[in-house]
Structures are given as C-alpha cells and as structure tokens.
Amino acid sequence: STDPQAPYLTTLAIGDLVFHQGAPSDSGVPVRHYFHEDVFDQSVITMERTGQMIDAFEAMFGPYPFENYGTVVVDADLGFALETQTLSVFGADIVDSFASREDSVAHELAHQWFGNHVSLGQWSDIWLNEGFATYGEYLWLEASEPDFDIDAAVRADYESFGFLLDTPPGAPSPTDLFNSSVSVRGAFTLHALRITIGDDAFFRLLATYVEEYGGANAVTSDFISLAEDISGQDLEDFFQAWLFEAEIPPLPR
C-alpha cells in the first residue's frame, strides 16, 4: 500500500480466487475484485455498482482516499464483512444473484473514508467507524434510488427497533465493542445531527472531517468540536444525549 494503514485492516485470503476487473468510478478510481470461483457469478452481480458508489460517496465525503478499490469474496459464510483497506473482504453469504446485500457493499466502501483514512484514536470511539458506515448505507440509497426518502427510512427503523438501542454508542463496553447501538444508533445520531444543523452544514462537516483528519487518527471530541465550528451551534447537549446517555433521544423534526 502507498498509504498509511492500520494493522487490523490487513487481511490474507488464500483460495481459488478469480480476478474480475470492475467498472472504474467516473472519477477514475480503478476497481478490481477477487472472487472465489464457486461464487463468482453472484459476486459479479453483487459488486456491479461499486464504481457508482465511489462516485456517490466522493460527492459527499471528498475524493476517494486511496489508489484503488475492490473486494475479495471467499467461499465461506463469514457472517460479517471487513473493510480491509482498498480490498474489502466478504463471505459467500453476502453475495447472490439479486444483489440483495448491496447495503453491505456500501457499508464497507464508506469505511474507506471513515475508519480507514480517518482511523480511531481509541477503540471506545468505534461509533466514528461503524455509525458513519451504517449511515453510508442510507446515503447510498438516497443517492441511487430517486424515490428513496432517507428521513422516512430512518424514522421507520427508529420506530421498529430504536427502543432496543439502550447502550450509549459513545461509551461501549470493551466486552461488547461492536454492539448494534454503536452502528445503528450511531447512524441515527448522524441523521439527527443532519436535521439539527441542516444539509449544507452537515455535508461540509463530513468532507471537512475527512480532509482534516485523513491519514491520521480522530476521537469523538474532534468531531464534536468540528461540528460546532461549522454549524455555529452549541451541540454539547445534543451529543451528550445521543452518544452518552442510555435512553435513546427522540429524532428531531
């Protein structure tokens, strides 16, 4: 790799992998994949819009931060995916002939900005990785589906299982670091912030955060400080409620 890389973002995959050249992004980012031969066709379908995702996220987060991108799909049901830097790893359980798990593809790609390029200063701030990548799933649908109403979608999910997210995402237990509150309530936090400060300030915040902390580490207080600077608002109570209190706050209108 030509860029700084956190050690956990390095993975070795061994198997009967077949190279597939994906369509590059319009901005020119090369896309190359390695799919296990047993799930090759399903992988091609699932990863087909990777280049388009890069373009969509570049418009929101800033230029793609690395020299290329792609995915590795192995012949095992991993039950998870990992944002390995420039070559995300997926199990066979993520790919199918309908691209039904394209949300996971968007999630791991969003991590290239949030988690890989801007890495954590401490593991207790893992919501900065997982909340941002989970919100990236919603953002991809907003960018790619003309009829998708992101506010309605977030509110529907909030009503369905928000009451279960009673663990503060900004202070996860070290024995349950990747709990659902970190990712899902973290994403809800970002949507609530977007409503609170407005789209213009919100997307300037995301791009500025990546620009200022890319290639280095950040912690939650860095993000909060930047959010207050860009929005001109006092957001102490907002972030205290969403990130550090047990009871999830109501979504603002």
Side-chain angles (χ1 to χ4, degrees), residues 126 167 171-182:
I126 188 63
T167 300
S173 165
T175 60
D176 191 22
L177 199 60
F178 291 90
N179 66 72
S180 58
S181 189
V182 162

Side-chain angles (χ1 to χ4, degrees), residues 139-157:
L139 291 173
W140 163 241
L141 289 172
E142 184 180 35
S144 62
E145 306 295 336
D147 296 328
F148 182 75
D149 184 333
I150 191 170
D151 188 63
V154 171
R155 290 184 188 279
D157 289 343

Side-chain angles (χ1 to χ4, degrees), residues 121-204:
Q122 54 193 23
W123 283 107
S124 58
D125 291 319
I126 188 63
W127 85 277
L128 289 171
N129 287 18
E130 296 304 329
F132 282 58
T134 301
Y135 195 53
E137 300 173 29
Y138 291 101
L139 291 173
W140 163 241
L141 289 172
E142 184 180 35
S144 62
E145 306 295 336
D147 296 328
F148 182 75
D149 184 333
I150 191 170
D151 188 63
V154 171
R155 290 184 188 279
D157 289 343
Y158 179 97
E159 292 299 325
S160 295
F161 46 81
F163 65 95
L164 298 172
L165 306 175
D166 57 357
T167 300
S173 165
T175 60
D176 191 22
L177 199 60
F178 291 90
N179 66 72
S180 58
S181 189
V182 162
S183 55
V184 180
R185 183 166 158 180
F188 291 169
T189 299
L190 291 172
H191 189 68
L193 178 64
R194 178 178 175 180
I195 296 169
T196 300
I197 67 176
D199 275 15
D200 182 63
F202 178 75
F203 286 106
R204 278 194 293 120

Side-chain angles (χ1 to χ4, degrees), residues 202-230:
F202 178 75
F203 286 106
R204 278 194 293 120
L205 169 61
L206 295 189
T208 304
Y209 176 66
V210 170
E211 183 179 7
E212 290 200 7
Y213 292 99
N217 305 81
V219 295
T220 296
S221 59
D222 295 323
F223 182 74
I224 293 174
S225 177
L226 198 59
E228 292 184 325
D229 288 345
I230 288 176

Side-chain angles (χ1 to χ4, degrees), residues 3-35:
D3 299 290
Q5 183 166 305
Y8 79 95
L9 298 174
T10 303
T11 299
L12 176 64
I14 300 173
D16 297 317
L17 302 169
V18 179
F19 174 76
H20 175 68
Q21 186 72 60
S25 69
D26 286 345
S27 64
V29 177
V31 175
R32 82 279 189 250
H33 304 287
Y34 295 87
F35 301 145

